[in-house]
Amino acid sequence: MNRAGIFNRKELRELKGSAKIRYIWDYYKLPLFLLFIVIYTVSYLIWRGATADFPQLYLAYVNVEAGSVLDQQLTEGFIEYLQPDEKNSVVKTLQNLVLTENLRETDGAYIHASQVKILSAIDNQQLDVVLMNREAFDAFSQNGLLIDLGNFIKDHDLSSLEPYLVENIEILSDNADEVIADPSVEYRSETKSYPMGLEADRFTFFKEAGFSDHVYLGVIANTPRADNVAAFLSYLG
C-alpha cells in the first residue's frame, strides 16, 4: 500500500501469497461484503420463487376426518381441475381441528388451540372453505363466520347447487353475558336465518368416503379468493 492509501496495481502484482490476500482484503472487504449480500439475496429470491407454494385455496377439516383418498381429491384433484398458471399451486389444508366439546377423548386445551388456530386463519384471510359436522356448522353459523351461500351461488352461476343448500342461524345479538352472571335470567337473542352450508355428503366424492353422519361445507365470509371458491364448488358439484 502506498503512502496516500490509494490502490496500486503495480504494488499488488509484486506481492505474493498471504500478503496479496491481506492487501486485497484491506482495500475490498466492504465491497466484497456488499457483493456477498447481493449474491445471497438474489440466490435466495431465485430459490424461493422456484420452490415456494402458491395457495389457490385454504381448506379446513373441523370435527371430521377426510381420509387420504378424499383429501387427495379435494386438494390435488382440484388443482388439476383448476389448472392455475402459477407453478407449485396447492390447496392448503388445516386438519384435525376440533371446535366442540361433545367429541369423545378431546380435552379442553386441544379445543381451545383449535379455536385459536381457526380464528387466526380467518383473521389472516387464510381460510376459505370449511368441511365440518353439524356441531361445528352450528358454531360457525351462530358466530357469523359463513357467507350467504344462496347469494354466492347466484352471483357465480352455480344454480345447480341450490338443492344442496342448508340454512342455519346467525346470532346478531344476545344477553349471554347476563345469563352467565345470573342463570335465573331468561336467554334472549336476535337472529337471522339464511343458507350457510351445503350438504357435502351428497356429493359423489363424499359418498365414496363413507361418512356415517351428515357433513357440511361452508364458505368463510371474508374469503379473498371467491373465484377459486366458486371453482371448487363447481368441481364438487
Side-chain angles (χ1 to χ4, degrees):
M1 182 169 61
N2 58 28
R3 293 179 181 178
I6 301 173
F7 178 74
N8 190 313
R9 294 180 182 276
K10 181 179 179 181
E11 185 177 350
L12 177 61
R13 287 195 295 268
E14 292 174 352
L15 295 175
K16 303 297 182 181
S18 61
K20 179 179 288 190
I21 296 174
R22 189 163 54 250
Y23 185 94
I24 294 173
W25 175 250
D26 288 341
Y27 275 99
Y28 289 109
K29 56 186 173 183
L30 180 58
L32 287 172
F33 176 74
L34 294 177
L35 179 61
F36 170 79
I37 294 296
V38 170
I39 293 174
Y40 173 81
T41 302
V42 172
S43 300
Y44 174 79
L45 291 175
I46 293 174
W47 173 83
R48 183 70 176 172
T51 61
D53 290 336
F54 289 91
Q56 301 295 329
L57 194 77
Y58 290 87
L59 169 66
Y61 303 124
V62 184
N63 288 12
V64 296
E65 294 183 7
S68 59
V69 174
L70 178 59
D71 179 68
Q72 185 176 27
Q73 291 170 329
L74 299 182
T75 55
E76 297 175 15
F78 173 62
I79 293 299
E80 291 178 6
Y81 169 84
L82 187 64
Q83 295 186 343
D85 294 332
E86 298 85 355
K87 293 182 179 180
N88 302 326
S89 290
V90 296
V91 173
K92 290 282 190 179
T93 60
L94 296 174
Q95 304 196 34
N96 302 318
L97 297 176
V98 178
L99 196 59
T100 53
E101 298 184 5
N102 64 341
L103 299 180
R104 292 177 296 177
E105 299 180 0
T106 304
D107 60 39
Y110 189 84
I111 293 171
H112 177 71
S114 293
Q115 292 171 344
V116 170
K117 194 170 186 178
I118 291 168
L119 293 176
S120 176
I122 293 174
D123 288 342
N124 292 311
Q125 295 187 324
Q126 292 181 340
L127 186 54
D128 304 304
V129 178
V130 184
L131 184 65
M132 54 201 158
N133 70 351
R134 183 71 204 196
E135 289 76 19
F137 179 37
D138 290 342
F140 273 89
S141 300
Q142 291 167 10
N143 285 279
L145 299 176
L146 300 177
I147 204 168
D148 185 331
L149 274 175
N151 291 332
F152 186 86
I153 65 175
K154 288 178 182 177
D155 293 341
H156 292 85
D157 194 25
L158 296 169
S159 57
S160 61
L161 296 178
E162 287 183 356
Y164 303 95
L165 288 172
V166 183
E167 287 198 355
N168 212 321
I169 295 173
E170 177 186 351
I171 299 176
L172 302 177
S173 63
D174 64 13
N175 65 335
D177 292 340
E178 296 179 29
V179 173
I180 292 174
D182 183 359
S184 65
V185 174
E186 181 182 358
Y187 176 75
R188 299 184 304 277
S189 65
E190 179 185 358
T191 65
K192 68 175 180 179
S193 177
Y194 54 91
M196 301 185 197
L198 295 167
E199 290 181 303
D201 50 285
R202 293 175 59 187
F203 295 136
T204 302
F205 291 152
F206 293 84
K207 287 179 180 178
E208 296 172 352
F211 286 103
S212 60
D213 206 346
H214 291 300
V215 179
Y216 302 88
L217 187 148
V219 176
I220 298 300
N222 73 339
T223 174
R225 287 165 286 273
D227 289 342
N228 283 2
V229 170
F232 185 70
L233 298 184
S234 178
Y235 167 68
L236 295 179

